[in-house]
Amino acid sequence: MITRITTRCFRMFTVLLFPSMLYAQSAVLEDYVKEGIKSNLTLRQENLELEKSMETLTQVRALYMPRVYLNATYTLAYGGRRLQFPVGDLLNPVYATLNQMTGTDKFPSVQNVDIQLAPNNFQETTIAFQQSIFNSDIYFSYKIQKDLVSAQLARRNVYENELRYTIVGAYYQYLQTLEASKVLTQSKTILQELLKLNQKLVANNTATKDVVFSSEYEISKIEQQLAFAEKNEQTARSYFNFLLNRDLASSILVDSAAYTSAAQTSLTDLEQTALSNRQEIQQINHSIKANENNIRLNRNNRLLPNVFVGGSVGYQGYGYTFDSSQQYAIAQFGLQWNIFKGGEKRSKEQQSRIQANLLSSKFTELQQQIRLQVTQAYYDLQASRKSLTAAEEGLNKALQSFRIIDSRYRNNQALLVEFLRAENDVTTARLSVSIARYDLQAKQAQLNKVIALQ
């Protein structure tokens, strides 16, 4: 019986010790990444922010086009101030004298002027337009908004890169919890078979009952560990599904080949790759360009005028007749120049120059931060590789020790406590290999994230 236990244990440990170490990008994991990028709520918000910025760009572009308005008003008025002028009282005596002298009636009587200032029954229907010919504000505002859209796109890509490798890391974490449960379950199976053997030994009076109690105690400890492992598995599943905006209890496909050992690359090459790929660099570059255009906007607004043309055609008069007596047309040529505003524009230009210095400092700091992140991720990965190698060697040693102690136990040359300790060492070593293996994947994902590998 013990021989079968040992053989089965050795076979299971050997299979776990020599898994396939290389594989192409996991299709299952890549599909999950695509699903997460498509459905993640935070990324959706970033996409909406980008769309909003693009609509603002469309609004600024529209300022290049002519503005056309249709204005129609009709006015009714009663009372109010009046314009009164006794023109009749002044001219009628003169006209009467002239008519007498000429013997004609060529000079008719004139009524006094009594006009209500508020127009009554008055309409004005006009189509007006205005077209900018030269306006530096519109030109540079468009360029600024274009740079801001590019910066927003870079920001969105930053989050997508972060999300991609957060999903990858969460997937490996879930696989690690499954592996831990599997290791503990297999250990429990071995201990249960050992318990049956010890019960038979006691029944045959070849061992005392303490061996049964010890076996049952070891099983209870494994069951406690299994309870925590199952809890960790559920938590890892919920977090992974949360990233994909799915039901937290949704099942997750397990890719048995989801394990890779990437080719090693020099730290210098990784740093250069990160500086080329990281969207944070692009984001701050576009912010610098937007600020440079803002400097030009404030400077040109202070030094150059705005020029435009415009005009209107329509009808105005008392009552709606729309005839030639009410028709009119106006053409305009305009120039606006901010000659003096208390130094406001000069101050805004200086403020933008200060912002340029601030962005330049942030750019240098960002480059240093990226180099530091790459360095840390690189050496973490190296340490994780060494840790996995040591864990695998440790498992080999534990298996060899277990076989020796098993042989001694079968020949009544070893105590049960030695057998249990050896079995516990093997279980611990298996868990260490599992942890080290998936920790290596997490470290590889972290390095891929900091170099923005797609």
Side-chain angles (χ1 to χ4, degrees):
M1 177 66 73
I2 294 181
T3 302
R4 292 203 304 269
I5 295 173
T6 304
T7 303
R8 185 181 305 172
C9 179
F10 179 77
R11 287 176 178 173
M12 289 188 296
F13 294 161
T14 303
V15 170
L16 288 173
L17 183 60
F18 301 105
S20 176
M21 298 296 290
L22 295 174
Y23 84 112
Q25 176 64 47
S26 167
V28 172
L29 180 53
E30 185 60 29
D31 287 343
Y32 277 135
V33 170
K34 291 178 181 178
E35 181 181 349
I37 290 175
K38 182 179 179 180
S39 62
N40 183 265
L41 292 178
T42 304
L43 189 57
R44 284 185 186 178
Q45 295 168 21
E46 292 294 331
N47 286 330
L48 292 174
E49 289 290 343
L50 177 60
E51 291 178 12
K52 187 170 69 173
S53 296
M54 294 180 68
E55 290 301 323
T56 302
L57 180 62
T58 301
Q59 295 168 21
V60 176
R61 187 189 297 116
L63 297 177
Y64 284 113
M65 306 301 293
R67 298 300 179 94
V68 181
Y69 311 91
L70 172 63
N71 297 316
T73 60
Y74 176 74
T75 305
L76 292 173
Y78 173 78
R81 294 182 301 166
R82 304 182 71 86
L83 175 63
Q84 295 179 334
F85 186 74
V87 62
D89 294 340
L90 294 175
L91 295 179
N92 286 337
V94 177
Y95 286 174
T97 300
L98 291 174
N99 285 333
Q100 291 177 357
M101 292 177 61
T102 60
T104 65
D105 56 357
K106 294 182 179 180
F107 301 96
S109 298
V110 178
Q111 299 295 323
N112 289 332
V113 175
D114 186 4
I115 301 175
Q116 181 178 286
L117 290 181
N120 183 40
N121 189 30
F122 184 84
Q123 67 88 15
E124 181 174 20
T125 304
T126 305
I127 295 179
F129 79 96
Q130 183 172 318
Q131 171 65 57
S132 176
I133 297 178
F134 177 81
N135 190 317
S136 61
D137 286 359
I138 296 177
Y139 175 74
F140 287 109
S141 293
Y142 177 76
K143 297 191 69 175
I144 289 170
Q145 188 58 38
K146 193 174 181 180
D147 290 329
L148 292 178
V149 168
S150 298
Q152 185 68 40
L153 176 60
R155 173 181 169 178
R156 181 260 182 204
N157 291 338
V158 167
Y159 183 78
E160 180 178 325
N161 181 65
E162 182 80 21
L163 176 62
R164 171 183 293 275
Y165 290 106
T166 300
I167 292 173
V168 171
Y171 186 73
Y172 287 131
Q173 180 64 34
Y174 175 70
L175 294 187
Q176 195 277 325
T177 62
L178 293 181
E179 187 75 10
S181 296
K182 182 179 178 181
V183 169
L184 294 172
T185 299
Q186 291 172 342
S187 178
K188 179 181 177 181
T189 300
I190 293 172
L191 291 174
Q192 286 174 334
E193 292 183 0
L194 177 65
L195 174 60
K196 292 178 182 178
L197 172 62
N198 287 335
Q199 288 173 338
K200 289 182 178 180
L201 293 176
V202 171
N204 293 329
N205 295 320
T206 57
T208 58
K209 201 169 184 179
D210 60 291
V211 296
V212 174
F213 295 146
S214 296
S215 299
E216 291 174 340
Y217 173 66
E218 292 299 322
I219 291 174
S220 68
K221 289 198 301 182
I222 287 293
E223 289 175 342
Q224 285 182 315
Q225 295 178 47
L226 271 172
F228 282 106
E230 290 172 359
K231 182 266 293 182
N232 292 336
E233 179 183 334
Q234 295 299 328
T235 301
R237 175 190 289 125
S238 297
Y239 178 62
F240 183 81
N241 286 321
F242 166 77
L243 293 174
L244 272 61
N245 191 30
R246 305 195 307 175
D247 185 272
L248 299 183
S250 298
S251 60
I252 301 172
L253 295 177
V254 176
D255 189 347
S256 59
Y259 186 83
T260 180
S261 181
Q264 297 194 38
T265 308
S266 70
L267 178 58
T268 302
D269 290 341
L270 290 172
E271 288 179 351
Q272 293 303 317
T273 301
L275 293 174
S276 299
N277 291 351
R278 287 285 288 269
Q279 289 296 309
E280 292 93 329
I281 295 287
Q282 300 301 322
Q283 183 179 1
I284 199 168
N285 274 333
H286 289 301
S287 296
I288 290 173
K289 290 180 181 179
N291 190 71
E292 290 173 351
N293 285 319
N294 193 45
I295 293 174
R296 297 188 184 99
L297 182 149
N298 288 307
R299 181 173 63 246
N300 290 329
N301 186 274
R302 177 167 55 89
L303 300 176
L304 299 175
N306 297 328
V307 181
F308 64 91
V309 295
S312 59
V313 294
Y315 297 87
Q316 63 176 206
Y318 291 94
Y320 282 99
T321 58
F322 296 111
D323 54 21
S324 58
S325 65
Q326 290 189 344
Q327 188 176 7
Y328 77 97
I330 297 175
Q332 294 177 319
F333 177 84
L335 181 147
Q336 184 181 34
W337 200 338
N338 293 324
I339 298 176
F340 180 74
K341 293 188 70 175
E344 176 187 349
K345 293 298 180 181
R346 189 182 299 274
S347 177
K348 286 185 176 181
E349 183 180 345
Q350 183 61 26
Q351 187 179 48
S352 296
R353 294 186 185 279
I354 295 172
Q355 179 68 12
N357 293 332
L358 178 61
L359 289 173
S360 177
S361 177
K362 287 185 176 181
F363 182 77
T364 302
E365 181 184 26
L366 177 60
Q367 288 181 314
Q368 290 295 95
Q369 287 178 343
I370 290 175
R371 289 191 179 96
L372 177 60
Q373 290 171 359
V374 173
T375 300
Q376 290 176 333
Y378 176 80
Y379 287 113
D380 282 347
L381 181 60
Q382 301 305 314
S384 186
R385 282 197 177 103
K386 294 177 181 178
S387 176
L388 176 59
T389 300
E392 290 172 340
E393 292 176 355
L395 177 55
N396 268 325
K397 301 299 182 183
L399 285 170
Q400 293 174 12
S401 176
F402 179 80
R403 287 197 300 271
I404 294 171
I405 293 176
D406 169 64
S407 177
R408 292 174 54 200
Y409 185 74
R410 285 188 293 108
N411 292 288
N412 294 322
Q413 295 177 355
L415 300 175
L416 176 63
V417 66
E418 294 179 277
F419 180 91
L420 293 176
R421 183 172 62 243
E423 192 279 333
N424 183 70
D425 288 343
V426 172
T427 300
T428 302
R430 289 177 62 198
L431 290 174
S432 296
V433 169
S434 172
I435 292 172
R437 180 181 299 131
Y438 289 107
D439 181 69
L440 176 61
Q441 299 312 295
K443 294 300 190 296
Q444 182 68 62
Q446 177 64 21
L447 179 60
N448 291 343
K449 182 180 76 172
V450 298
I451 65 174
L453 182 66
Q454 296 297 325

